mmCIF file of all heavy atoms in Angstrom:
data_model
loop_
_atom_site.group_PDB
_atom_site.id
_atom_site.type_symbol
_atom_site.label_atom_id
_atom_site.label_comp_id
_atom_site.label_asym_id
_atom_site.label_seq_id
_atom_site.Cartn_x
_atom_site.Cartn_y
_atom_site.Cartn_z
ATOM 1 N N PHE G 803 0.284 -11.788 -1.603
ATOM 2 C CA PHE G 803 0.156 -10.413 -1.113
ATOM 3 C C PHE G 803 -0.577 -9.558 -2.129
ATOM 4 O O PHE G 803 -1.450 -8.750 -1.758
ATOM 5 C CB PHE G 803 1.526 -9.813 -0.812
ATOM 6 C CG PHE G 803 1.439 -8.394 -0.317
ATOM 7 C CD1 PHE G 803 1.081 -8.135 0.998
ATOM 8 C CD2 PHE G 803 1.675 -7.323 -1.163
ATOM 9 C CE1 PHE G 803 0.958 -6.826 1.458
ATOM 10 C CE2 PHE G 803 1.567 -6.015 -0.712
ATOM 11 C CZ PHE G 803 1.206 -5.773 0.601
ATOM 12 N N GLU G 804 -0.262 -9.738 -3.423
ATOM 13 C CA GLU G 804 -0.918 -8.946 -4.459
ATOM 14 C C GLU G 804 -2.426 -9.183 -4.450
ATOM 15 O O GLU G 804 -3.220 -8.244 -4.558
ATOM 16 C CB GLU G 804 -0.332 -9.319 -5.826
ATOM 17 C CG GLU G 804 -0.753 -8.404 -6.962
ATOM 18 C CD GLU G 804 -0.204 -6.987 -6.828
ATOM 19 O OE1 GLU G 804 0.872 -6.819 -6.246
ATOM 20 O OE2 GLU G 804 -0.885 -6.058 -7.311
ATOM 21 N N LYS G 805 -2.832 -10.442 -4.266
ATOM 22 C CA LYS G 805 -4.265 -10.747 -4.202
ATOM 23 C C LYS G 805 -4.900 -10.160 -2.944
ATOM 24 O O LYS G 805 -6.042 -9.696 -2.955
ATOM 25 C CB LYS G 805 -4.490 -12.273 -4.235
ATOM 26 C CG LYS G 805 -4.199 -12.918 -5.575
ATOM 27 C CD LYS G 805 -4.569 -14.389 -5.589
ATOM 28 C CE LYS G 805 -6.069 -14.582 -5.677
ATOM 29 N NZ LYS G 805 -6.433 -16.010 -5.869
ATOM 30 N N SER G 806 -4.147 -10.185 -1.842
ATOM 31 C CA SER G 806 -4.693 -9.707 -0.572
ATOM 32 C C SER G 806 -4.996 -8.214 -0.593
ATOM 33 O O SER G 806 -5.798 -7.729 0.207
ATOM 34 C CB SER G 806 -3.729 -10.026 0.573
ATOM 35 O OG SER G 806 -2.570 -9.210 0.510
ATOM 36 N N LEU G 807 -4.381 -7.488 -1.534
ATOM 37 C CA LEU G 807 -4.653 -6.060 -1.640
ATOM 38 C C LEU G 807 -6.101 -5.772 -2.028
ATOM 39 O O LEU G 807 -6.569 -4.639 -1.885
ATOM 40 C CB LEU G 807 -3.699 -5.408 -2.646
ATOM 41 C CG LEU G 807 -2.217 -5.345 -2.237
ATOM 42 C CD1 LEU G 807 -1.380 -4.725 -3.337
ATOM 43 C CD2 LEU G 807 -2.049 -4.561 -0.941
ATOM 44 N N GLN G 808 -6.814 -6.808 -2.467
ATOM 45 C CA GLN G 808 -8.239 -6.641 -2.763
ATOM 46 C C GLN G 808 -9.036 -6.275 -1.511
ATOM 47 O O GLN G 808 -10.156 -5.758 -1.611
ATOM 48 C CB GLN G 808 -8.810 -7.923 -3.384
ATOM 49 C CG GLN G 808 -8.253 -8.248 -4.759
ATOM 50 C CD GLN G 808 -8.797 -9.563 -5.294
ATOM 51 O OE1 GLN G 808 -9.978 -9.851 -5.157
ATOM 52 N NE2 GLN G 808 -7.919 -10.362 -5.904
ATOM 53 N N LEU G 809 -8.485 -6.548 -0.348
ATOM 54 C CA LEU G 809 -9.137 -6.135 0.902
ATOM 55 C C LEU G 809 -9.400 -4.634 0.921
ATOM 56 O O LEU G 809 -10.392 -4.172 1.496
ATOM 57 C CB LEU G 809 -8.266 -6.520 2.107
ATOM 58 C CG LEU G 809 -8.179 -8.006 2.480
ATOM 59 C CD1 LEU G 809 -7.065 -8.219 3.503
ATOM 60 C CD2 LEU G 809 -9.511 -8.487 3.057
ATOM 61 N N LEU G 810 -8.510 -3.863 0.296
ATOM 62 C CA LEU G 810 -8.650 -2.407 0.297
ATOM 63 C C LEU G 810 -9.839 -1.947 -0.530
ATOM 64 O O LEU G 810 -10.317 -0.819 -0.360
ATOM 65 C CB LEU G 810 -7.356 -1.760 -0.215
ATOM 66 C CG LEU G 810 -6.090 -2.091 0.587
ATOM 67 C CD1 LEU G 810 -4.866 -1.445 -0.055
ATOM 68 C CD2 LEU G 810 -6.232 -1.640 2.034
ATOM 69 N N ASN G 811 -10.311 -2.815 -1.439
ATOM 70 C CA ASN G 811 -11.475 -2.475 -2.245
ATOM 71 C C ASN G 811 -12.780 -2.733 -1.508
ATOM 72 O O ASN G 811 -13.855 -2.389 -2.012
ATOM 73 C CB ASN G 811 -11.470 -3.284 -3.548
ATOM 74 C CG ASN G 811 -10.254 -2.998 -4.409
ATOM 75 O OD1 ASN G 811 -9.752 -1.867 -4.417
ATOM 76 N ND2 ASN G 811 -9.760 -3.995 -5.114
ATOM 77 N N LEU G 812 -12.693 -3.338 -0.321
ATOM 78 C CA LEU G 812 -13.894 -3.721 0.423
ATOM 79 C C LEU G 812 -14.323 -2.660 1.424
ATOM 80 O O LEU G 812 -15.299 -2.844 2.152
ATOM 81 C CB LEU G 812 -13.673 -5.055 1.141
ATOM 82 C CG LEU G 812 -13.238 -6.235 0.264
ATOM 83 C CD1 LEU G 812 -13.072 -7.485 1.121
ATOM 84 C CD2 LEU G 812 -14.256 -6.489 -0.853
ATOM 85 N N ILE G 813 -13.576 -1.550 1.496
ATOM 86 C CA ILE G 813 -13.920 -0.454 2.400
ATOM 87 C C ILE G 813 -13.861 0.868 1.632
ATOM 88 O O ILE G 813 -13.311 0.928 0.528
ATOM 89 C CB ILE G 813 -12.958 -0.384 3.618
ATOM 90 C CG1 ILE G 813 -11.504 -0.246 3.150
ATOM 91 C CG2 ILE G 813 -13.135 -1.593 4.510
ATOM 92 C CD1 ILE G 813 -10.522 -0.015 4.285
ATOM 93 N N GLU G 814 -14.441 1.909 2.228
ATOM 94 C CA GLU G 814 -14.433 3.248 1.625
ATOM 95 C C GLU G 814 -13.474 4.135 2.406
ATOM 96 O O GLU G 814 -13.791 4.614 3.497
ATOM 97 C CB GLU G 814 -15.836 3.858 1.656
ATOM 98 C CG GLU G 814 -16.807 3.239 0.681
ATOM 99 C CD GLU G 814 -16.431 3.514 -0.771
ATOM 100 O OE1 GLU G 814 -15.926 4.618 -1.049
ATOM 101 O OE2 GLU G 814 -16.627 2.624 -1.608
ATOM 102 N N CYS G 815 -12.272 4.309 1.871
ATOM 103 C CA CYS G 815 -11.270 5.117 2.564
ATOM 104 C C CYS G 815 -10.330 5.737 1.540
ATOM 105 O O CYS G 815 -9.765 5.018 0.700
ATOM 106 C CB CYS G 815 -10.481 4.254 3.557
ATOM 107 S SG CYS G 815 -9.206 5.160 4.445
ATOM 108 N N ASP G 816 -10.152 7.051 1.600
ATOM 109 C CA ASP G 816 -9.298 7.736 0.627
ATOM 110 C C ASP G 816 -7.835 7.798 1.065
ATOM 111 O O ASP G 816 -7.022 8.472 0.423
ATOM 112 C CB ASP G 816 -9.826 9.142 0.328
ATOM 113 C CG ASP G 816 -9.917 10.021 1.571
ATOM 114 O OD1 ASP G 816 -9.514 9.549 2.657
ATOM 115 O OD2 ASP G 816 -10.393 11.175 1.455
ATOM 116 N N GLU G 817 -7.498 7.106 2.157
ATOM 117 C CA GLU G 817 -6.114 7.105 2.620
ATOM 118 C C GLU G 817 -5.412 5.764 2.388
ATOM 119 O O GLU G 817 -4.274 5.586 2.806
ATOM 120 C CB GLU G 817 -6.066 7.439 4.116
ATOM 121 C CG GLU G 817 -6.483 8.867 4.431
ATOM 122 C CD GLU G 817 -6.269 9.227 5.889
ATOM 123 O OE1 GLU G 817 -5.851 8.341 6.662
ATOM 124 O OE2 GLU G 817 -6.514 10.384 6.252
ATOM 125 N N VAL G 818 -6.097 4.826 1.727
ATOM 126 C CA VAL G 818 -5.532 3.482 1.615
ATOM 127 C C VAL G 818 -4.231 3.463 0.811
ATOM 128 O O VAL G 818 -3.287 2.738 1.156
ATOM 129 C CB VAL G 818 -6.545 2.484 1.017
ATOM 130 C CG1 VAL G 818 -7.673 2.217 2.000
ATOM 131 C CG2 VAL G 818 -7.091 2.970 -0.318
ATOM 132 N N LEU G 819 -4.156 4.256 -0.251
ATOM 133 C CA LEU G 819 -2.930 4.251 -1.062
ATOM 134 C C LEU G 819 -1.775 4.920 -0.319
ATOM 135 O O LEU G 819 -0.623 4.487 -0.434
ATOM 136 C CB LEU G 819 -3.177 4.947 -2.395
ATOM 137 C CG LEU G 819 -4.193 4.258 -3.320
ATOM 138 C CD1 LEU G 819 -4.350 5.042 -4.621
ATOM 139 C CD2 LEU G 819 -3.783 2.813 -3.610
ATOM 140 N N LEU G 820 -2.079 5.975 0.428
ATOM 141 C CA LEU G 820 -1.049 6.622 1.247
ATOM 142 C C LEU G 820 -0.526 5.646 2.296
ATOM 143 O O LEU G 820 0.690 5.537 2.510
ATOM 144 C CB LEU G 820 -1.625 7.871 1.907
ATOM 145 C CG LEU G 820 -0.683 8.674 2.813
ATOM 146 C CD1 LEU G 820 0.527 9.169 2.037
ATOM 147 C CD2 LEU G 820 -1.435 9.854 3.440
ATOM 148 N N LYS G 821 -1.427 4.921 2.940
ATOM 149 C CA LYS G 821 -1.013 3.944 3.946
ATOM 150 C C LYS G 821 -0.247 2.788 3.304
ATOM 151 O O LYS G 821 0.722 2.280 3.877
ATOM 152 C CB LYS G 821 -2.235 3.415 4.698
ATOM 153 C CG LYS G 821 -2.836 4.408 5.683
ATOM 154 C CD LYS G 821 -4.035 3.819 6.400
ATOM 155 C CE LYS G 821 -4.548 4.753 7.474
ATOM 156 N NZ LYS G 821 -3.608 4.878 8.613
ATOM 157 N N LEU G 822 -0.660 2.376 2.116
ATOM 158 C CA LEU G 822 0.045 1.303 1.419
ATOM 159 C C LEU G 822 1.457 1.747 1.049
ATOM 160 O O LEU G 822 2.425 0.969 1.181
ATOM 161 C CB LEU G 822 -0.734 0.899 0.170
ATOM 162 C CG LEU G 822 -0.127 -0.236 -0.664
ATOM 163 C CD1 LEU G 822 0.015 -1.513 0.156
ATOM 164 C CD2 LEU G 822 -0.985 -0.498 -1.919
ATOM 165 N N ALA G 823 1.587 2.984 0.612
ATOM 166 C CA ALA G 823 2.910 3.520 0.273
ATOM 167 C C ALA G 823 3.830 3.485 1.486
ATOM 168 O O ALA G 823 4.998 3.079 1.390
ATOM 169 C CB ALA G 823 2.776 4.940 -0.252
ATOM 170 N N LYS G 824 3.308 3.902 2.635
ATOM 171 C CA LYS G 824 4.120 3.898 3.861
ATOM 172 C C LYS G 824 4.466 2.475 4.288
ATOM 173 O O LYS G 824 5.566 2.219 4.796
ATOM 174 C CB LYS G 824 3.388 4.633 4.979
ATOM 175 C CG LYS G 824 3.277 6.132 4.730
ATOM 176 C CD LYS G 824 2.537 6.840 5.865
ATOM 177 C CE LYS G 824 2.406 8.334 5.593
ATOM 178 N NZ LYS G 824 1.713 9.045 6.700
ATOM 179 N N LEU G 825 3.532 1.548 4.091
ATOM 180 C CA LEU G 825 3.809 0.141 4.411
ATOM 181 C C LEU G 825 4.979 -0.365 3.570
ATOM 182 O O LEU G 825 5.900 -1.012 4.095
ATOM 183 C CB LEU G 825 2.560 -0.702 4.142
ATOM 184 C CG LEU G 825 2.717 -2.217 4.315
ATOM 185 C CD1 LEU G 825 3.069 -2.574 5.753
ATOM 186 C CD2 LEU G 825 1.441 -2.938 3.877
ATOM 187 N N TYR G 826 4.949 -0.072 2.283
ATOM 188 C CA TYR G 826 6.066 -0.465 1.418
ATOM 189 C C TYR G 826 7.366 0.198 1.873
ATOM 190 O O TYR G 826 8.421 -0.437 1.932
ATOM 191 C CB TYR G 826 5.780 -0.079 -0.032
ATOM 192 C CG TYR G 826 4.831 -0.994 -0.773
ATOM 193 C CD1 TYR G 826 3.821 -0.469 -1.592
ATOM 194 C CD2 TYR G 826 4.943 -2.375 -0.681
ATOM 195 C CE1 TYR G 826 2.952 -1.296 -2.285
ATOM 196 C CE2 TYR G 826 4.073 -3.208 -1.374
ATOM 197 C CZ TYR G 826 3.085 -2.666 -2.168
ATOM 198 O OH TYR G 826 2.229 -3.492 -2.853
ATOM 199 N N TYR G 827 7.274 1.479 2.199
ATOM 200 C CA TYR G 827 8.471 2.229 2.593
ATOM 201 C C TYR G 827 9.111 1.619 3.839
ATOM 202 O O TYR G 827 10.325 1.369 3.866
ATOM 203 C CB TYR G 827 8.116 3.690 2.846
ATOM 204 C CG TYR G 827 9.304 4.551 3.220
ATOM 205 C CD1 TYR G 827 10.048 5.198 2.237
ATOM 206 C CD2 TYR G 827 9.683 4.703 4.554
ATOM 207 C CE1 TYR G 827 11.152 5.986 2.583
ATOM 208 C CE2 TYR G 827 10.772 5.483 4.900
ATOM 209 C CZ TYR G 827 11.505 6.113 3.909
ATOM 210 O OH TYR G 827 12.594 6.874 4.262
ATOM 211 N N TYR G 828 8.311 1.381 4.864
ATOM 212 C CA TYR G 828 8.840 0.858 6.130
ATOM 213 C C TYR G 828 9.461 -0.536 5.973
ATOM 214 O O TYR G 828 10.287 -0.939 6.788
ATOM 215 C CB TYR G 828 7.741 0.809 7.191
ATOM 216 C CG TYR G 828 7.352 2.159 7.730
ATOM 217 C CD1 TYR G 828 6.018 2.570 7.767
ATOM 218 C CD2 TYR G 828 8.315 3.058 8.199
ATOM 219 C CE1 TYR G 828 5.652 3.816 8.261
ATOM 220 C CE2 TYR G 828 7.954 4.307 8.689
ATOM 221 C CZ TYR G 828 6.625 4.672 8.718
ATOM 222 O OH TYR G 828 6.279 5.907 9.200
ATOM 223 N N ASN G 829 9.046 -1.231 4.931
ATOM 224 C CA ASN G 829 9.574 -2.574 4.713
ATOM 225 C C ASN G 829 10.622 -2.631 3.601
ATOM 226 O O ASN G 829 10.997 -3.718 3.148
ATOM 227 C CB ASN G 829 8.427 -3.544 4.406
ATOM 228 C CG ASN G 829 7.635 -3.885 5.653
ATOM 229 O OD1 ASN G 829 8.000 -4.784 6.411
ATOM 230 N ND2 ASN G 829 6.546 -3.153 5.883
ATOM 231 N N GLY G 830 11.094 -1.441 3.188
ATOM 232 C CA GLY G 830 12.227 -1.382 2.272
ATOM 233 C C GLY G 830 11.894 -1.492 0.798
ATOM 234 O O GLY G 830 12.794 -1.573 -0.038
ATOM 235 N N TYR G 831 10.612 -1.464 0.437
ATOM 236 C CA TYR G 831 10.220 -1.527 -0.975
ATOM 237 C C TYR G 831 10.016 -0.096 -1.479
ATOM 238 O O TYR G 831 8.888 0.379 -1.678
ATOM 239 C CB TYR G 831 8.937 -2.345 -1.137
ATOM 240 C CG TYR G 831 9.079 -3.788 -0.711
ATOM 241 C CD1 TYR G 831 8.672 -4.209 0.547
ATOM 242 C CD2 TYR G 831 9.634 -4.737 -1.580
ATOM 243 C CE1 TYR G 831 8.804 -5.526 0.948
ATOM 244 C CE2 TYR G 831 9.771 -6.069 -1.197
ATOM 245 C CZ TYR G 831 9.353 -6.454 0.084
ATOM 246 O OH TYR G 831 9.485 -7.766 0.454
ATOM 247 N N TYR G 832 11.119 0.586 -1.706
ATOM 248 C CA TYR G 832 11.056 2.025 -1.946
ATOM 249 C C TYR G 832 10.426 2.396 -3.284
ATOM 250 O O TYR G 832 9.655 3.365 -3.362
ATOM 251 C CB TYR G 832 12.457 2.631 -1.836
ATOM 252 C CG TYR G 832 13.065 2.471 -0.466
ATOM 253 C CD1 TYR G 832 14.306 1.879 -0.287
ATOM 254 C CD2 TYR G 832 12.389 2.901 0.667
ATOM 255 C CE1 TYR G 832 14.865 1.725 0.977
ATOM 256 C CE2 TYR G 832 12.929 2.754 1.932
ATOM 257 C CZ TYR G 832 14.163 2.151 2.083
ATOM 258 O OH TYR G 832 14.696 1.990 3.332
ATOM 259 N N ASN G 833 10.711 1.654 -4.330
ATOM 260 C CA ASN G 833 10.138 1.983 -5.631
ATOM 261 C C ASN G 833 8.630 1.779 -5.633
ATOM 262 O O ASN G 833 7.882 2.595 -6.181
ATOM 263 C CB ASN G 833 10.798 1.144 -6.735
ATOM 264 C CG ASN G 833 12.244 1.557 -6.967
ATOM 265 O OD1 ASN G 833 12.617 2.704 -6.707
ATOM 266 N ND2 ASN G 833 13.060 0.632 -7.439
ATOM 267 N N LEU G 834 8.183 0.680 -5.023
ATOM 268 C CA LEU G 834 6.743 0.450 -4.910
ATOM 269 C C LEU G 834 6.097 1.547 -4.064
ATOM 270 O O LEU G 834 4.987 2.002 -4.358
ATOM 271 C CB LEU G 834 6.471 -0.926 -4.284
ATOM 272 C CG LEU G 834 6.730 -2.148 -5.175
ATOM 273 C CD1 LEU G 834 6.589 -3.427 -4.361
ATOM 274 C CD2 LEU G 834 5.751 -2.162 -6.353
ATOM 275 N N ALA G 835 6.791 1.963 -3.005
ATOM 276 C CA ALA G 835 6.280 3.028 -2.148
ATOM 277 C C ALA G 835 6.083 4.301 -2.954
ATOM 278 O O ALA G 835 5.030 4.962 -2.864
ATOM 279 C CB ALA G 835 7.240 3.277 -0.988
ATOM 280 N N TYR G 836 7.076 4.656 -3.756
ATOM 281 C CA TYR G 836 6.998 5.886 -4.541
ATOM 282 C C TYR G 836 5.812 5.841 -5.509
ATOM 283 O O TYR G 836 5.073 6.825 -5.654
ATOM 284 C CB TYR G 836 8.304 6.104 -5.311
ATOM 285 C CG TYR G 836 8.420 7.499 -5.896
ATOM 286 C CD1 TYR G 836 8.875 8.553 -5.117
ATOM 287 C CD2 TYR G 836 8.045 7.754 -7.213
ATOM 288 C CE1 TYR G 836 8.973 9.835 -5.641
ATOM 289 C CE2 TYR G 836 8.138 9.036 -7.743
ATOM 290 C CZ TYR G 836 8.592 10.075 -6.952
ATOM 291 O OH TYR G 836 8.678 11.344 -7.458
ATOM 292 N N GLN G 837 5.618 4.688 -6.153
ATOM 293 C CA GLN G 837 4.492 4.542 -7.085
ATOM 294 C C GLN G 837 3.157 4.774 -6.380
ATOM 295 O O GLN G 837 2.257 5.430 -6.913
ATOM 296 C CB GLN G 837 4.512 3.141 -7.707
ATOM 297 C CG GLN G 837 5.662 2.898 -8.656
ATOM 298 C CD GLN G 837 5.733 1.438 -9.102
ATOM 299 O OE1 GLN G 837 4.729 0.734 -9.101
ATOM 300 N NE2 GLN G 837 6.928 0.982 -9.474
#
């Protein structure tokens, strides 16, 4: 999964970190979400 996050570097979008945070949140990874 950590390697797959490189997909986010292949597009131009300023919302990717916000969306990643919500993805972590919805799946119960709260500390990662907060970061």
Side-chain angles (χ1 to χ4, degrees):
F803 179 78
E804 190 67 29
K805 289 186 75 173
S806 71
L807 292 178
Q808 293 177 42
L809 288 169
L810 301 177
N811 299 327
L812 305 180
I813 57 174
E814 288 293 324
C815 179
D816 59 3
E817 292 187 357
V818 291
L819 296 180
L820 180 60
K821 286 180 174 291
L822 181 59
K824 291 180 181 181
L825 175 63
Y826 282 137
Y827 182 90
Y828 287 128
N829 285 275
Y831 297 98
Y832 298 125
N833 291 334
L834 287 173
Y836 193 83
Q837 291 173 25

